[in-house]
Structure formats: structure tokens, C-alpha cells
Amino acid sequence: MAMAETTETAAAPKGVGEYLKSHLREYGLLIALIAIMVFFQIVTGGTLLRPVNITNLLLQNSYIIIMALGMLIVIVAGHIDLSVGSVMGFIGALAAVMIVNHELPVFATIAICLVVGGVIGAAQGYWVAYWKIPSFIVTLAGMLVFRGLSLWLLEGQSVGPFPKEFQVLANGFVPDIFPPAIGERLAPLFDARKVNVLALCTGVIAAAVIVWMGLRKRARNRAYGIVDEPRAFFIARTAIVSLALVFIMYKLSTFRGLPNVLITMGVLTIIYAFLTEKTTLGRRIYALGGNEKAAKLSGIKTERLTFLAFVNMGILAAAAGLVFAARLNTATPKAGFALELDVIAAVFIGGASMSGGVGKIVGAVVGAFLMGVLNNGMSIMGIGIDYQQMIKGLVLLAAVIFDVYNKSKQG
Amino acid sequence: MAALLEMRSITKTFPGVKALDQVNLTVREGEIHALVGENGAGKSTLMKVLSGVYPHGSYEGEIHYDGAVAAFRDIADSEKRGIIIIHQELALVPLLSIAENIFLGNEQARGGVIDWQGTFRRTEGLLKKVGLSEAPTTLVDKLGVGKQQLVEIAKALSKEVRLLILDEPTAALSESDSQALLDLLLELKAQGVTSIIISHKLNEVRRVADTVTVIRDGTTVSTMDARSQPITEDAIVRDMVGRDMAHRYPERERRAGEMLLEVSGWNVWHPEHSERQVIRDAAFNVRAGEVVGIAGLMGAGRTELAMSLFGRSYGRNISGEARIRGQVADLSSVPKAIAAGLAYVTEDRKSLGLILEETIERNVTLANLAGVSAGGILNENEETAVAEKYRAAMNIRTPSVFQKVMNLSGGNQQKVVLSKWLFAGPEVLILDEPTRGIDVGAKFEIYGIINELSAQGKGVLMISSEMPELLGMCDRIYVMNEGALVGELTAAEASQERIMSLIVTE
């Protein structure tokens, strides 16, 4: 009773400290990512942020991020998908068999693989949505089935290599559309051999868009009198994010430019962020995860939404499988092994709640990057896989404890 | 009689708010002491201070218990001294037996090995005391809420209770179960058990309480002694809300317009036990501008009737015809029922009506997202405007519509649910226990909203277990018993006695 009064009065404008306390999670994730990057940048003697390593970092984590987008939706809807690693491996195997063994055209193979991914998602989602079988069980079964199917399909062998057109999915770069003369003129300024102007421009434009959107949201919040973040925080946060973006793009521009995968990832992230935050479909998924019964009694078709969440996950797992196979230039029976756990960890580190209804696309992407930087940094340092596993496990635990602690304090 | 408990000048502060301000409470040995007040007045906080949930040192003031100053560190500490609190949400494990529940955490064991013989023997004795004839091995799951409440009391008795605290013990009970519980309290009193009962039901308070203490806004307003002179409900209400409430039910101009909803031959079978018929051949109607009540005991099938009608959300093999404005309506799914002009405000606000983790705004628009979007893309400005409109119209007390619903009081939560359904633009609203667990002031506001709806020409079907509420609000009342509508009374004919006799004689 009294608690209600406390919180009802608690929304009055307050100091910076109070604001930070109630938004610790969002800032915490960003601060953690920056801290980890700075730490590894120092201990690796600057290797972490070398253009070639940044490119590597993006390629290495692309398939995790692509799957994290789908996993976030599944988890927000109140479920889990343990099969994505196996599905990813299976699709890679399927692509290899189709392209390498049967010499089917690349484009058709990609289309067929995405459809198969969707069908796999549908096959699992059907039992979860319409038969109310716990997703943990259904997808655990799926994990075993598709692991077995990849083995069967590849007959225990690795299949490769892929033709060039397929490899560019993961290893290709967007060609610079600007005349090379501009890049050559800029090169001495950055002390580089050549500069990819497209990457540079993309970075500046993206940063500008972030600033503009931030300002717009702030203006809207003002208009409705929502407790806004203190000006200093807003400026600092926006500045850090946009400068980091420009910085990364600048680094990429002095190497080979924009990786194709970065574009895929960026576009997908924007689409899914929009879908979850700005559309009725997204709103309904949050409602479903927040309280399925109440959502259903409010006229939301909860079964269909659950089903669609799994179909979507299947398609994204297939996309990730294609990227993964293209990157390794071969399909192996072990591809994607235990990868589902990295994806799930990324989503929870990103602030999603196990019980559903809570979580953001951007959080999941940052969570995946955080794990990626940890992996990459520790590998550069030469830390053994044994310690890497332990550290990653503890980071996941710490992130979730932090969440629960925060929540209980706000009570 | 001497005082068993004296709480002196208790002050409890939470960050930003004083929940209790110099509260005094004196409970005499062997009495039933009622603690009443609106939701948020501080009753539960006071009981948490007493039972050690808020440990000694986290509040100011003194507690004298059984002749000594008490400084409880936690619940276990206060239980040791015989203070047992039974919360509104029962703390029983559904899949354990009665005996296991009673001795949970207090197992009858020697060296860690449970003495089942002794456990069952003692359980039988305790069950006899509370008037339950169930076997000690019965799973709690199989008992109704009323009997579960009795098991809780048996559990308290197993711990040698001296001061029994009951928080809204009859809130979820039917009339007859409530009576049985109150009788038990009186019997325990005769055996020397002192109790404190928190309740919103003033007729019950009047029936059992020797002393009534009213708390308002964290302070003690008055303490009335029923032994010196009878306490009137009006006096209690006046002290609770701090104003005279001559009319507990606001006046409404009564006029019935055209026929809105007509249901006939409605039959529903139980979703799991397919041979059990839950609703039998129900027929009823609601006209524009009417408030129609459905009275009945708990388990009569009122909620089942409403839910089966609203998109077949309950039951199977549903048959029957529903007409809206004379046209046969397809109510086979919730979206279709909403489109046909129905809305259903659930009995269980928290688990079926709201998404507690979400904001007021997002709850309000949930049933009509199409109304704040174009082509599937939400218009956030419009959404906020809609929420603000209902916040003002419904008088939802909150600093902003971006507040999470879980932070609101029960009355304000109910206003959010009503807003959600009003925004969906229904013709007929089914309100299932719309004022359950809501304090007197907020009840009055909800009644006002219902009257406003009927003035707008909407039809309201109101299910309630509180007969005075139905009598005060409705134009017509259907009486339901064992899945069938057994009678229909106009406002002029209806009385508590007539309704009860219809239920009993069928």
C-alpha cells in the first residue's frame, strides 16, 4: 500500500544521481562496453582497434548478432530457442551440398535456404504456439534433430570451398562509389595508403541521424513532461555513441571499407528496432510476453504471434548459417555447435528478462558486441579457451545479477 | 481486560513518503479488533511493523506485547511469541497435502525424519477445531478458497497462536464461506485467541468486532468500542474517507433504450471435465442505458458465463445464440467479440486484465491498437494523447501516463482497465467484480463511471458478489445458481432476502 504512494510521488523531477540510479542498466551496458574496449585496447597494445581487427570483430560476430535479433523477439514473447546453433549449422550444410555438390545457382540456394529456415521455425513454433509444449523442450529436441541432420547431410565430412559469389556474403566489401581521387586526396590527412570515402560518409551520416533522432525524442518527451535525462547525460551519451560510430567507420575506411555483413547487420538491426518499438506487431509481442492471458483477453492473437516469432527466428538462423558458411568457406558438421548459448547470453546481457515482456533490440546487439569484444580481446592476449569460457560465464551471471538487484531496489 | 498489544506512536517512513505517522493501536486480550481504512491508508504497513517484516529499528515508536517491549527482528521472531499473520494471498503449496502444509517449516520430526503418524494425528485435531472434515492427506489444490483459508488458520493454531492477524480474509470468499470463517473467529475468541482483522466489508466488521480502529492516510482517526454502543457502518465510512457519504451509490437517471445484447439458449461445458455442464440454457438481455446485475454465490458460473460469451475464452462445446442490436453476432474469438461491440473487464485485474510491467499508456491502448496506428505503425503522439484523455476523464491518480501500472493502487488500476475497454468503443460492457479489493472512495468513483456509461447509452452487465452493490446500482438483477439463471428481479422487487431465497429454493 505504502509502496504505491512512494512510487507515485517518485516521478517528480529529481537530481542527476536519482536519474542515473533509475537508468543504471542502460548506461551500465554502454559504459561496460566502452570500459572493456578501452581495457583491451591498452593491454593488447592498440591491436584491438586496428582497422583490420575491427573488420574481423564485425565479421566474427555478425552471425551472433543476426540471430540475437530473432532471439530477442522469442525471449520477449516469453520463450526460448535452443535450436538456433544447430539450425544455423544445418542450413550451412544444406547450402554447401546444394552449391558445391549439386552446383545449384547461388541466388536460388540462398532463397531456398531462407525458406527452409522459416519452415524449420514453423515446425517448432507450431508445437509451442498451438500445443503449448514448452519451448525449452521443443527446441531442445530441435537442437538434437538438426545437429543430426547436418551430420547426415554432410556424411560427417566438411564440404567446400564455395564459389566467389557466395563468399562475398561474409567476406565481401561494398565498393567505394566515390571517385578514387577524393580518397587519394584524403589519404595523407589520415596517414593512410588509401581512404574509402563511402565508409567515412556513412559514418558521418549515421552519426548525424543518431543526433537528430535523439533531439527529436527529447523534444517529444519535453512536450509531454516526461522526466527527461539531464542535459549533460544526453549530450555525453549522444556524443559518445556518434563519435564512436564515426571513429569505427574512419578506421574501416582506412582498410577495405564497409564489409557487406556490416550493411546486412545494420539494416536488419534498424528494421527490427523499428518493428519492435514502432509497430502494433511489436507492441503485441511485448504484451504477449508481459501477460499472455491479459493480452489474449485484449483481443491479441497470442498463438499466431508466438508461431510467427519462431518462424522469424528460423529465417534469421538460416541467414546466419549462410553468413557463417560463407565466412569459413566451408560447411562442417560441427558448425554452430553451442552457438545458441552465445546468442542467448547476448540477449540477456542486453537486458532482456527471462520471464518475457522486457528487452530491446539495441540492447541485444550491444550485448552481442560486448561478448564479441571479450572473445576477441582475450584471444589477442593469448588467454586460453578455458579461461575465456569462465570469464564469459561470469560476465553473463554478473549482468543478470545486476538486473535483478536493480529491479529489487526500485521495487 | 488488559492490553495484549500496544503500539505507541509508530512512525514508518519510506523514501519520499511517511506511510505511518504516530499511529497508536491498543488490542485487548481476548478481543476481535478490526482495522479498517482505505487502500493505501497504512493498515498493511502497520501489520508488517508488528510482525517484524519491517524489523525493529526501521520504524520509530514502541511496541508493547504481552507486558514487555517487543523488538522483533523478523517474522520468525514474532511467530515465536505467538503473533501469526495470514496474508490476503494465501501462502499454501497447492501440490502438498493439508498436513504437509500445516507443518511446513515446523515439521513433526525426530532427527530430521518426519513422524507421519504424529503429523496426521495432530492435523486431524487441528482440522476438527476449524471445522474441516477433509482427510489430512488431501491436496490443498483440491480445496476451494474458503477451505484453504481454514487450513491457514489451522496452520496458525498449530503454532500456539496468541494474536492472529487476518488481512482481508473474506475478500475471495463466498457469502456462506465468509459466514463460516467469521463464526470460527468468534469461536476462537471464546477459546481466548485475540485477533486483528483487516477488512473492507463493513457488515462483517460490525458483526464480529469488539473494537474498530480506523486508519486514514497513515494516522489513527478513531477507535470505536462496540461494547459500549453499537457501531454504525456510516460512522466507519465517515471516518475512513473523512467525509460524510450520504449516498454510497451515486444517483442515476434510469431509462432503458433499445435492445443491445440478447443471449438465448447458452450452454457451456467444462473445458477439462467434458461431462460437466457449467452453464445451462442461459438467456438474458441488456438494453441501452441499462445496468443489469448478475447475482449468485461463488462458483455459480457467473464468470464462466461472461468468459464463454466473450470470444469463447472459457469452456467447450459452447452453443446458443447471441444477438447484438438484433443481429446474430459472431463471438467465436476475442477479436471478433470486440469487433461485435463487447468488452469484458475481468474479475482478476492483475493476472487477466493488466500488463503490470507496462505503462498506463500502453495498457490503455492495448485492446485498440488500430485506433492509434496507421498501416501497423504506431503514432506515439496520438497514443499519449489518448492515454492523457482517459487519465483526465477517469481521474487516474498518477504523475504521468508513463508510470508502470504495477505502481498504482487497486482503484487506479481498475480505472486503467476500464479506460482500455472504453477506448475499444464497446456497446456492451461486462464488468466482473469491478470493485473487488478497492477502497470506498475509489468504489464511489467506479460507480460514477458506470453511471456515466449508461448515460451514454451503453449497456452494462455487472457481476458482483456484494449484494448491496448490485441493489444500489442495477436496474435489473438476474440471479444465478449452479450454472442456470434462476430468476430475474427488477430494482424495485430486489432485496438481499429475495435474491438469497431464489438461490436457496432452486
Side-chain angles (χ1 to χ4, degrees):
Chain A
M1 294 185 175
M3 299 311 277
E5 287 162 29
T6 328
T7 37
E8 273 172 42
T9 50
K14 276 167 309 192
V16 172
E18 285 288 314
Y19 181 83
L20 187 62
K21 225 185 248 170
S22 59
H23 291 75
L24 210 53
R25 190 59 169 94
E26 289 123 75
Y27 291 108
L29 195 61
L30 191 63
I31 292 167
L33 181 63
I34 293 169
I36 287 172
M37 288 181 87
V38 169
F39 172 77
F40 281 117
Q41 174 72 356
I42 293 167
V43 296
T44 60
T47 311
L48 184 83
L49 292 181
R50 282 219 185 107
V52 57
N53 194 52
I54 290 180
T55 307
N56 246 329
L57 199 60
L58 291 173
L59 297 185
Q60 272 171 8
N61 292 293
S62 54
Y63 40 90
I64 302 271
I65 286 171
I66 291 172
M67 289 196 286
L69 300 174
M71 189 64 80
L72 177 99
I73 290 177
V74 168
I75 286 175
V76 163
H79 293 282
I80 195 124
D81 191 339
L82 299 174
S83 72
V84 293
S86 296
V87 172
M88 193 191 100
F90 171 68
I91 295 292
L94 183 66
V97 169
M98 286 173 78
I99 294 175
V100 180
N101 294 1
H102 296 280
E103 295 180 357
L104 287 166
V106 169
F107 185 75
T109 304
I110 291 174
I112 290 171
C113 283
L114 292 177
V115 170
V116 170
V119 171
I120 290 172
Q124 300 192 87
Y126 171 74
W127 300 111
V128 177
Y130 298 104
W131 285 69
K132 313 282 177 219
I133 297 175
S135 53
F136 189 94
I137 307 290
V138 173
T139 59
L140 182 63
M143 174 171 133
L144 297 169
V145 168
F146 294 109
R147 172 79 35 226
L149 270 177
S150 327
L151 265 171
W152 171 77
L153 203 57
L154 295 172
E155 291 164 348
Q157 309 286 313
S158 293
V159 176
F162 287 101
K164 260 266 165 319
E165 312 103 274
F166 187 74
Q167 285 182 41
V168 296
L169 267 188
N171 300 334
F173 291 83
V174 182
D176 199 350
I177 52 168
F178 291 92
I182 305 179
E184 277 159 26
R185 181 141 337 145
L186 284 172
L189 280 176
F190 298 150
D191 197 21
R193 270 186 297 121
K194 59 181 168 55
V195 170
N196 184 309
V197 185
L198 177 67
L200 211 54
C201 286
T202 311
V204 173
I205 291 169
V209 169
I210 284 178
V211 171
W212 178 69
M213 281 180 30
L215 285 171
R216 215 177 62 147
K217 187 165 181 208
R218 200 172 157 79
R220 183 184 121 77
N221 287 354
R222 270 283 150 73
Y224 286 104
I226 308 173
V227 205
D228 215 350
E229 66 180 322
R231 182 189 297 265
F233 275 58
F234 172 73
I235 293 172
R237 185 172 54 87
T238 314
I240 289 172
V241 171
S242 43
L243 286 178
L245 201 64
V246 173
F247 177 75
I248 301 272
M249 289 300 194
Y250 148 69
K251 287 283 186 179
L252 290 177
S253 75
T254 61
F255 185 55
R256 293 174 62 187
L258 295 173
N260 287 341
V261 166
L262 179 65
I263 302 295
T264 314
M265 249 160 39
V267 170
L268 283 177
T269 303
I270 290 168
I271 290 175
Y272 280 95
F274 181 81
L275 191 85
T276 51
E277 285 172 35
K278 305 280 180 198
T279 67
T280 54
L281 183 68
R283 178 65 59 78
R284 290 185 178 127
I285 292 171
Y286 281 93
L288 156 68
N291 185 343
E292 185 176 353
K293 288 177 185 162
K296 193 164 184 179
L297 282 172
S298 298
I300 290 170
K301 294 170 180 155
T302 50
E303 282 103 357
R304 184 188 294 179
L305 273 183
T306 306
F307 178 72
L308 289 178
F310 277 92
V311 172
N312 176 65
M313 181 76 252
I315 296 171
L316 287 175
L322 294 172
V323 171
F324 189 78
R327 180 172 147 69
L328 292 188
N329 199 14
T330 171
T332 72
K334 292 206 82 176
F337 185 74
L339 217 61
E340 58 277 346
L341 301 179
D342 282 1
V343 175
I344 293 167
V347 172
F348 286 134
I349 288 174
S353 154
M354 189 81 210
S355 51
V358 178
K360 282 196 165 158
I361 286 288
V362 177
V365 171
V366 175
F369 265 117
L370 200 142
M371 291 287 264
V373 172
L374 269 177
N375 275 335
N376 183 276
M378 289 191 293
S379 297
I380 298 172
M381 282 172 72
I383 294 176
I385 192 80
D386 41 2
Y387 288 106
Q388 286 196 25
Q389 299 272 8
M390 290 186 241
I391 291 170
K392 272 159 61 184
L394 292 175
V395 166
L396 171 64
L397 183 65
V400 176
I401 290 174
F402 189 71
D403 263 359
V404 173
Y405 173 74
N406 242 346
K407 212 175 165 186
S408 70
K409 266 189 95 177
Q410 284 175 24
Chain B
M1 266 182 280
L4 173 66
L5 170 76
E6 239 185 292
M7 299 179 81
R8 290 184 200 151
S9 308
I10 303 291
T11 299
K12 169 81 188 161
T13 320
F14 292 107
V17 67
K18 229 178 204 174
L20 296 175
D21 189 7
Q22 305 271 336
V23 172
N24 295 306
L25 178 71
T26 306
V27 180
R28 281 167 301 189
E29 182 97 49
E31 74 167 353
I32 297 180
H33 195 117
L35 198 56
V36 298
E38 293 192 283
N39 283 342
K43 304 175 305 256
S44 291
T45 311
L46 186 65
M47 290 303 103
K48 283 180 180 166
V49 166
L50 172 58
S51 58
V53 173
Y54 301 130
H56 180 71
S58 70
Y59 56 88
E60 293 158 41
E62 278 185 354
I63 300 177
H64 292 257
Y65 176 70
D66 199 15
V69 176
F72 301 128
R73 288 184 309 270
D74 51 30
I75 292 196
D77 210 9
S78 64
E79 279 196 354
K80 234 180 282 165
R81 302 283 310 274
I83 300 177
I84 311 265
I85 184 162
I86 298 179
H87 293 281
Q88 202 175 346
E89 278 95 24
L90 298 179
L92 296 172
V93 186
L95 291 177
L96 289 183
S97 69
I98 295 178
E100 283 167 312
N101 266 292
I102 286 180
F103 291 102
L104 194 61
N106 177 27
E107 286 82 3
Q108 303 297 295
R110 229 168 270 124
V113 179
I114 292 179
D115 167 18
W116 287 111
Q117 290 289 326
T119 302
F120 290 137
R121 206 173 41 245
R122 283 201 59 190
T123 304
E124 270 168 17
L126 290 166
L127 290 182
K128 201 172 288 171
K129 260 191 190 167
V130 298
L132 270 180
S133 55
E134 264 71 13
T137 49
T138 311
L139 296 189
V140 163
D141 202 16
K142 300 270 183 282
L143 303 177
V145 199
K147 288 184 174 172
Q148 290 190 8
Q149 189 74 258
L150 296 179
V151 171
E152 278 275 15
I153 292 175
K155 186 175 172 181
L157 294 178
S158 78
K159 293 175 191 160
E160 256 119 69
V161 59
R162 291 198 62 197
L163 176 59
L164 183 64
I165 303 163
L166 298 123
D167 192 354
E168 301 256 8
T170 60
L173 300 193
S174 69
E175 198 77 22
S176 57
D177 281 349
S178 302
Q179 296 306 328
L181 184 85
L182 297 176
D183 287 339
L184 176 62
L185 279 188
L186 291 171
E187 204 180 305
L188 290 176
K189 175 177 129 179
Q191 292 168 20
V193 176
T194 313
S195 29
I196 297 175
I197 172 171
I198 297 177
S199 181
H200 280 137
K201 297 188 181 170
L202 300 185
N203 54 342
E204 293 176 357
V205 166
R206 229 162 54 94
R207 197 181 137 202
V208 298
D210 302 305
T211 315
V212 178
T213 295
V214 182
I215 292 187
R216 185 174 75 226
D217 302 331
T219 57
T220 324
V221 179
S222 60
T223 299
M224 296 176 246
D225 194 337
R227 279 165 294 202
S228 53
Q229 63 178 71
I231 300 170
T232 63
E233 284 183 33
D234 283 345
I236 302 178
V237 169
R238 191 174 51 235
D239 284 346
M240 277 169 74
V241 298
R243 61 180 180 271
D244 226 330
M245 291 220 331
H247 306 288
R248 254 197 271 174
Y249 304 99
E251 282 301 318
R252 171 166 56 93
E253 193 188 328
R254 304 194 175 196
R255 60 191 156 84
E258 61 168 322
M259 186 66 74
L260 282 184
L261 174 69
E262 240 181 319
V263 176
S264 57
W266 201 257
N267 285 296
V268 180
W269 271 264
H270 195 276
E272 279 132 40
H273 312 290
S274 53
E275 74 293 344
R276 240 176 79 194
Q277 190 170 357
V278 183
I279 303 294
R280 293 164 205 279
D281 208 23
F284 64 93
N285 58 63
V286 181
R287 289 174 176 276
E290 254 192 328
V291 178
V292 177
I294 301 185
L297 301 178
M298 197 137 307
R302 297 167 300 170
T303 297
E304 290 77 2
L305 172 64
M307 285 187 78
S308 64
L309 203 59
F310 189 67
R312 305 205 174 155
S313 303
Y314 173 90
R316 57 161 70 181
N317 291 337
I318 298 169
S319 64
E321 190 183 73
R323 287 173 178 269
I324 289 180
R325 287 190 190 277
Q327 302 290 315
V328 175
D330 178 7
L331 305 177
S332 58
S333 72
V334 176
K336 281 178 185 164
I338 294 173
L342 276 192
Y344 173 56
V345 174
T346 55
E347 175 184 25
D348 189 338
R349 204 161 42 235
K350 286 186 178 165
S351 74
L352 298 179
L354 291 166
I355 297 169
L356 294 170
E357 286 263 359
E358 286 284 16
T359 61
I360 295 171
E361 178 192 61
R362 289 178 167 210
N363 273 285
V364 167
T365 57
L366 190 61
N368 184 15
L369 284 174
V372 286
S373 63
I377 294 165
L378 291 163
N379 181 339
E380 292 178 330
N381 290 338
E382 196 166 325
E383 196 176 12
T384 308
V386 165
E388 286 289 354
K389 189 185 105 190
Y390 281 103
R391 172 193 172 188
M394 296 276 173
N395 192 19
I396 302 171
R397 276 184 279 277
T398 168
S400 109
V401 295
F402 305 101
Q403 183 76 246
K404 283 184 182 174
V405 169
M406 59 193 252
N407 295 332
L408 300 178
S409 66
N412 283 312
Q413 285 183 346
Q414 188 68 311
K415 291 180 201 165
V416 173
V417 179
L418 283 169
S419 304
K420 172 173 85 174
W421 287 113
L422 289 188
F423 183 55
E427 307 234 27
V428 178
L429 286 103
I430 306 173
L431 310 179
D432 198 347
E433 304 281 2
T435 63
R436 168 168 295 172
I438 290 179
D439 59 65
V440 177
K443 270 184 183 173
F444 192 78
E445 285 184 278
I446 301 280
Y447 297 144
I449 293 168
I450 294 174
N451 285 351
E452 175 67 23
L453 292 175
S454 95
Q456 289 168 14
K458 302 205 186 291
V460 175
L461 185 67
M462 180 166 161
I463 298 170
S464 176
S465 294
E466 289 184 41
M467 276 195 242
E469 176 175 281
L470 288 177
L471 295 170
M473 291 295 299
C474 298
D475 299 312
R476 277 187 295 137
I477 298 173
Y478 289 98
V479 182
M480 194 163 192
N481 192 33
E482 293 181 356
L485 293 173
V486 294
E488 181 185 346
L489 301 166
T490 63
E493 301 170 329
S495 68
Q496 297 215 23
E497 292 72 26
R498 296 269 322 247
I499 293 174
M500 277 317 289
S501 73
L502 273 171
I503 293 172
V504 180
T505 52
E506 271 303 310

